Amino acid sequence: MKTHDFWYNLPEELIAQTPLERRDASRLLVLDRKTGELQHRHFYDMIDYLQPGDCLVMNDSRVLPARLLGRRPTGGAVEVLLLRELGGGAWECLVKPGKKMQLGQEVIFGDGELTATVTAIQEDGNRVVQFHYDGIFLEVLERLGKMPLPPYIKAELADQERYQTVYAKQSGSAAAPTAGLHFTPALLEKIAAKGVKLAYVTLHVGLGTFRPVKAEEITEHHMHSELCMIGEETAQALNETRAAGGRIFCVGTTSCRTLESLADENGHFEPRSKWTDIFIYPGYRFRAMDGLITNFHLPESTLVMLVSAFASKEQILHAYEVAVEEKYRFFSFGDAMLIV
């Protein structure tokens, strides 16, 4: 199967640059996998597709304000993007400009309350950076860091919380699980009042999620690893839902990848965590998920391949074609899709 099989044409003006004022006012394209039928709704209508006894699974990872703008002691500007915590104040980072960030290079952030030193250069060009600070690193980061918005978003974000879900809790992501950005506390309350279980998993999203697939054959692409976990309460909710004949709806591809990584062969769950590099593409047999709420994804991306595994490639590419014709908004701050 070729990477180019998952290409579609997207006019640049359909890439959403800012979130809507009201989170759940986004449009919702509903795809019925059995019939191929498409419906045009709004996100707040998604409650109509849930039934008492179903379970809605959300990723409660919180995005770190992981983009730090600093300077070298000589005055040159530097950008450091946190990718993965290594312990003891050390992080794996992307840096710009790379040529200036050599071994031993020091960087100053803000008025000097945070400084850093490059301690290693990895094979892929990423740097290991040792940070120096007083107090709690996450609190320093909240003051000095900016949201690491995807490169296709050119506009500055006025309110950083709009790149967090309303239920974000566990800090650790380098990018938002964006399907969840559409939910409001009021909509979640209505869903729970309907008799739908609300369950939370954690997968810390790495920037590798957005790494382009460069292999011609998709089977030659290797996913990066991300840490995912399911707690006891969620494992119990999922097992009870399955035993009672309810359906499991994942909010976003990260929730889907977490469940499919941690379910056993029979779709049963135990509380546990693991590093997952699961790559889901057409031909994959789903063990846990019955419905998916997701945004519209980049052409030829692993995420388009995942949704094409859940529906079919033909259904997904047709749905995307219709979404383009109907001028839906695409990507992180764009509209949503429900696949049932």
Side-chain angles (χ1 to χ4, degrees), residues 164-231:
Q164 305 279 16
T165 62
V166 296
Y167 47 78
K169 193 181 291 184
Q170 313 293 340
S171 287
S173 278
T178 54
L181 295 178
H182 304 280
F183 284 95
T184 63
L187 180 57
L188 289 170
E189 282 175 22
K190 282 184 186 173
I191 290 168
K194 190 172 181 177
V196 175
K197 292 187 180 75
L198 304 182
Y200 298 91
V201 297
T202 305
L203 181 143
H204 291 315
V205 187
L207 288 181
T209 297
F210 307 106
R211 196 177 72 198
V213 180
K214 292 182 177 171
E216 189 178 333
E217 295 282 345
I218 66 172
T219 51
E220 292 170 12
H221 177 73
H222 298 289
M223 297 286 283
H224 67 295
S225 289
E226 293 167 314
L227 180 64
C228 64
M229 58 200 85
I230 284 180

Side-chain angles (χ1 to χ4, degrees), residues 224-273:
H224 67 295
S225 289
E226 293 167 314
L227 180 64
C228 64
M229 58 200 85
I230 284 180
E232 191 168 340
E233 197 175 324
T234 292
Q236 185 178 339
L238 291 167
N239 293 332
E240 286 175 355
T241 299
R242 185 65 79 221
R247 298 170 301 166
I248 294 172
F249 282 78
C250 288
V251 176
T253 56
T254 60
S255 299
C256 166
R257 292 179 68 239
T258 299
L259 263 55
E260 295 299 325
S261 296
L262 297 179
D264 69 15
E265 280 301 315
N266 301 312
H268 183 81
F269 292 93
E270 297 291 339
R272 65 190 185 104
S273 63

